[in-house]
Amino acid sequence: MLPNISKSLTAAASILLAAASLAACTAPSTSASAVAAAAPPAAAGSAAAPPAAAGSAAAPPAAAASVVSAAQADPAPYYYVAPDGSDKDGTGAKARPWKTVQRAADAAMKSGGTVYLRGGLYSQRLKLAGEPGAAGSAARLTVASYPSETAVLDGTNLSASDKGSLIELDGASRVTIRGLELRNYKTSALDVVPIGIHVHGAGRGVRLLDNRIHDIGSTAVPAGRELAGRDAHGIAVYGTQAPASISDLTIAGNELYRLTLGSSEALVLNGNVEQFVVENNYVHDNDNIGIDAIGFEGTSPKTKYDQARDGVIRGNLVTGSTSVRNPSYGRRIPNGSHSAGGIYVDGGRDIVIEHNRTERNDIGIEIASEHAGRSTSGITVRSNVVVYNAMTGIALGGYDKDRGSTADSIVTGNTVAYNDTLEWGTGQLYLQFDVRNNIIRNNIFAASASGALILNEYTENVGSLVDYNLYFAPNAKQATWTWKNKTYKSFAAYAKGSRGDTHSLFADPLFAAPASGSFRLQAGSPASLSGIADRVLSAAPDPDGRPRGAGVGGRPSRGAYE
């Protein structure tokens, strides 16, 4: 039985269409009764993003033009807030701004519109609930920094309680949060979860764009044998209703860093969340998982809907995610856990992971299920660069026999190189407990000094189709492949013993300049146009925008780049 590839393609197509439709939105006309200024600033777009880093880790990804267009006007009417404004004497106009963000947002929720925050420090929270405008309208609400200025929501003097957040969207729809800095929101109390932006309930059309979120977290001492009670998030999206979901969600162009997360994640989608795009975010230097799509945790009141699903995780740069100094994974620091994934799908389904770069995390990309009897399924991992991660590059399956499975997924056209920097022998591809009917092809796997390429210690490995990959180890005599708990020390012995990788190669891929971070292919690379035609891989270009499958008969290059 082959993985349900068509289902993943259908999901990807629907999400791409949803993302493209954002640019078609038009601003409503100005209300005659608006008390705010009649026109927005001339430069209503967000500040220019740094250049994209498709081939190197030198710079964070650029914001996607398909998500935010600088030429697209923010919706009218316009309200203004400033640190030196006044809720008593202000009108919300540019010349007479209010002081509190909540005051302006409450006014804008009645009609839709835009709240511009002038640059400066705000020791404030913001909560939005429901839909802007009159019932049945299509009005949108945008809360954004004033162009060329940065509004900072600072939690230094705010106490966190329960799942407290600097910005809370409770059952909100058609709301955009853009260009804000959120910082310094922390707690030392057990079971209190500080969050930068918390989206929960059900709603449609939320956009979280170009925000910078940092220094948020919990410093509580974990309790008991389970080391519990220490958690925080930068961005958390929890679909807590059913059947109504959080849908048509875009999280793009944000930077999340220096987050003290405990058992939690920097950016998480959990429960009844669907039709989402998480793209071009820069997630770095956090003490647990970077980006996570979760299912089966009881977040949704109905199990049928309790999975993040039908989404795309694309073009993100995730680096420096490590749990080795996180006391939630061991009281003695450093704790040696190395369990934080750059990108993780734990119980999600029908998700496309493409064009990401995951570098120097504990684990590059992991698709698994932590819940016994439950499966992560229908995941497509394509055209990613996964390099220099401590434990392994790409991992599938439950991390022990008490966990669930990974099924009906495809890993194709990825460059997975020089991971296992710890030299534990966990290799570039780590097949854990209970992997079922997965396809792994058209990839490049290049070993670190350990020589380990595949580690599969469990015999619960059914229906795996592994072929048309390229393997390489700097010292061929040290190369190892472990398949169903049997280790092979030559490629020929492994291919014969595993009855797989019949059309795969063992050869130097001839990367262009790996020492400087470029994993493109040199001319004459044996990986060039030597893969097998793959409609899943060719459904999207490579990270440089080149079409995949340009070879004879639609053959792509092996690895992430054509």
Side-chain angles (χ1 to χ4, degrees):
M1 177 178 175
L2 296 180
N4 192 347
I5 298 169
S6 61
K7 193 171 185 180
S8 293
L9 280 172
T10 301
S14 66
I15 300 306
L16 289 170
L17 287 171
S21 69
L22 297 179
C25 297
T26 57
S29 59
T30 305
S31 168
S33 61
V35 297
S46 60
S56 70
S66 62
V67 176
V68 182
S69 172
Q72 179 182 334
D74 288 319
Y78 307 100
Y79 303 87
Y80 295 82
V81 183
D84 59 354
S86 171
D87 285 353
K88 180 179 179 181
D89 299 322
T91 64
K94 185 176 180 180
R96 297 179 63 188
W98 286 313
K99 185 175 184 61
T100 59
V101 183
Q102 192 68 58
R103 172 70 177 85
D106 288 346
M109 279 294 286
K110 296 175 183 177
S111 61
T114 300
V115 175
Y116 285 121
L117 280 62
R118 301 306 301 260
L121 197 68
Y122 297 82
S123 183
Q124 302 176 25
R125 297 185 180 89
L126 171 64
K127 180 176 181 177
L128 298 172
E131 302 181 358
S137 77
R140 289 197 62 87
L141 169 63
T142 294
V143 179
S145 284
Y146 187 84
S148 301
E149 299 180 4
T150 301
V152 180
L153 271 61
D154 189 286
T156 300
N157 297 316
L158 302 175
S159 61
S161 60
D162 192 24
K163 285 188 177 179
S165 56
L166 289 174
I167 296 179
E168 179 182 2
L169 304 184
D170 178 3
S173 291
R174 305 190 306 278
V175 170
T176 296
I177 306 295
R178 190 184 74 232
L180 305 179
E181 180 177 350
L182 286 73
R183 70 186 192 193
N184 299 334
Y185 191 51
K186 300 180 180 181
T187 186
S188 59
L190 277 170
D191 299 319
V192 173
V193 185
I195 304 172
I197 301 177
H198 185 196
V199 184
H200 62 100
R204 292 183 54 83
V206 168
R207 312 280 181 254
L208 307 179
L209 310 175
D210 305 323
N211 301 288
R212 186 166 62 173
I213 302 172
H214 63 97
D215 295 287
I216 290 172
S218 173
T219 58
V221 177
R225 294 181 60 185
E226 298 298 321
L227 299 177
R230 176 178 171 126
D231 297 277
H233 302 282
I235 295 175
V237 181
Y238 278 72
T240 55
Q241 297 183 21
S245 65
I246 293 174
S247 64
D248 184 21
L249 168 74
T250 300
I251 302 175
N254 303 283
E255 181 179 9
L256 297 91
Y257 62 100
R258 290 202 307 262
L259 304 174
T260 307
L261 301 166
S263 301
S264 296
E265 310 83 20
L267 193 166
V268 64
L269 314 174
N270 194 325
N272 196 8
V273 183
E274 60 181 336
Q275 300 169 14
F276 59 83
V277 176
V278 177
E279 66 178 348
N280 297 334
N281 299 285
Y282 182 28
V283 184
H284 63 98
D285 301 300
N286 302 302
D287 73 351
N288 208 341
I289 296 160
I291 299 172
D292 201 355
I294 297 178
F296 307 124
E297 288 197 337
T299 301
S300 168
K302 295 185 178 181
T303 303
K304 176 181 177 181
Y305 301 98
D306 196 24
Q307 289 180 275
R309 61 197 183 275
D310 298 327
V312 176
I313 300 172
R314 177 200 300 123
N316 303 283
L317 173 58
V318 188
T319 183
S321 303
T322 178
S323 60
V324 74
R325 304 194 68 82
N326 183 335
S328 294
Y329 293 84
R331 297 187 190 280
R332 186 173 180 176
I333 302 298
N335 54 39
S337 66
H338 295 285
S339 60
I343 297 175
Y344 187 23
V345 179
D346 168 22
R349 66 170 173 84
D350 303 320
I351 296 170
V352 175
I353 301 171
E354 64 181 9
H355 300 166
N356 303 283
R357 184 170 179 126
T358 62
E359 179 172 357
R360 303 185 193 280
N361 306 287
D362 290 337
I363 301 167
I365 296 174
E366 183 171 13
I367 54 175
S369 175
E370 296 184 9
H371 300 276
R374 302 292 187 180
S375 180
T376 290
S377 62
I379 310 301
T380 296
V381 182
R382 67 184 177 202
S383 299
N384 300 282
V385 176
V386 184
V387 294
Y388 301 119
N389 295 286
M391 182 180 174
T392 194
I394 295 180
L396 287 72
Y399 61 77
D400 62 32
K401 287 193 172 185
D402 294 326
R403 308 302 143 191
S405 63
T406 301
D408 302 323
S409 296
I410 183 166
V411 177
T412 181
N414 302 283
T415 294
V416 188
Y418 312 132
N419 302 286
D420 187 19
T421 61
L422 294 168
E423 299 183 28
W424 285 358
T426 35
Q428 307 308 303
L429 177 64
Y430 189 18
L431 302 180
Q432 304 175 103
F433 174 69
D434 204 357
V435 289
R436 309 177 188 180
N437 305 315
N438 302 295
I439 292 176
I440 301 167
R441 66 187 179 199
N442 289 327
N443 304 286
I444 294 175
F445 296 112
S448 68
S450 75
L453 287 155
I454 296 178
L455 180 62
N456 171 215
E457 300 169 292
Y458 294 93
T459 57
E460 292 84 359
N461 176 349
V462 177
S464 297
L465 176 58
V466 185
D467 205 355
Y468 284 92
N469 301 295
L470 185 149
Y471 297 95
F472 179 66
N475 185 340
K477 293 181 179 180
Q478 293 182 345
T480 62
W481 295 256
T482 299
W483 189 260
K484 295 187 179 180
N485 205 30
K486 184 173 182 178
T487 299
Y488 302 92
K489 295 187 178 181
S490 75
F491 177 65
Y494 153 70
K496 180 180 179 180
S498 67
R499 299 182 180 181
D501 273 315
T502 305
H503 303 92
S504 295
L505 305 173
F506 186 87
D508 188 338
L510 298 179
F511 293 131
S516 60
S518 176
F519 290 86
R520 297 177 180 87
L521 302 175
Q522 297 180 38
S525 167
S528 181
L529 303 179
S530 66
I532 186 172
D534 184 338
R535 64 190 182 90
V536 173
L537 184 57
S538 63
D542 78 358
D544 285 342
R546 296 187 182 94
R548 306 231 53 175
V552 175
R555 301 183 77 175
S557 294
R558 308 184 202 210
Y561 293 101
E562 291 297 322

